[in-house]
Amino acid sequence: MKCLRPITEICQRLCITVFQDKQRIKTAVWVVDPEQPDPQVMARAGSVIRGGGLVAFPTETVYGLGANALDANAVRGVFVAKGRPQDNPLIVHIGAVRDLEGVISEITPMAEKLIPLFWPGPLTLVLPRDPAIPAEVTAGLETVGVRMPAHPVALSLVRASGVPVAAPSANASGRPSPTHAGHVLTDLNGRIEAIIDAGPSALGVESTVLDVTGRYPVVLRPGGVTVEDIEAVLGVEVRVAGEQNEVPRSPGMKYRHYAPRADLLLVTGPPDAVRREILELAETDRGRRRVVVLARVESAGDYPGLEVVPCGRRDDPDDVAAGLYAALRQCDAAGADLILAEGVEVRGVGHAVMNRLRKAAKEIIRLGAEE
Ligand code: TXA
Ligand code: MG
């Protein structure tokens, strides 16, 4: 026991040194066209990744923080830059289906059906890992999450790198995922080599994470591809992990995620009842805490005298998803202590939006069936 203390201290010091070194980096921002990024910029970004550096880049879901997935040191740097718990595995991004070789050790029949329909796109498949993928990427699991992104800049970066790219969302751990390059800069400036800025992410929520290693497909995280879409292709019922009380199957499920700094109170149910409840809750808090209402565009006028951050049109879950994380960050920027959030219709990508809001929420008030 005696010799343990100095060793722990040395490890801590090393960790702090790495962290401080990361803080001294000058982060470059490269602006590119989202459809036709400058090949020279992409080649430069690719060589930074290949050389062990960290580059944030746009995908169709959210911005990712890329590192060479074959380089354990580079991958450790991702965890340090984000302050991410080490037991939460990263998704590996590939530029072509043939690049699965060397990332996974076996393709399953379900994956074979899904890949031609959903790749490139916001579907991450959990498959048996190839030993070439370091344990740092998968947090020691025998499986690896892999996806081929649809954004031209993401594809171009992965191809220019010439290696599979491990990339979590490019936010500081626990903060809402970034959907603009500015969000990445707020969280990671000085900790990463570069950010490729190609404007806002179209989808606004992360990919669907689907485990296809077992007998049945299991959604570990709802996202851009809906459960209905997957069921239509596989012809079997898809289970959604976490909907029953069970042990977390995806390490990411156990963390309180996507959280703004303010407390978030989520109110679900018929729109009229939700509005009345939010008005009442705001009245109770008036003068004590700074309250911001996160509401649909159409109901922004229903909260007279209150500060409202509008997020998406009613009956349009895609629009709500696209603006969700920016709206949560806007609430923080407004200095909110309490966010009163309207629930969203649980349809299509609305599943993913409600999943994120529930995870961000300190408390959920259910007024009858969810919308
Ligand atoms: O849309 C996205 O998926 C974005 C962009 C950048 O591609 N990436 C992203 O990564 O959201 P991240 O690290 O923020 O979330 C990855 C999720 C975590 O919940 C993690 O636990 C889960 O995927 N995951 C990754 N590999 C896994 C594995 N082998 N088994 C189970 N869950 C896994
Ligand atoms: Mg994330």
Side-chain angles (χ1 to χ4, degrees), residues 82 84 169 171 177 206 221 257-258:
K82 278 180 61 92
R84 179 178 175 107
S169 49
N171 51 288
S177 291
E206 301 85 343
R221 177 180 71 183
H257 258 178
Y258 318 109

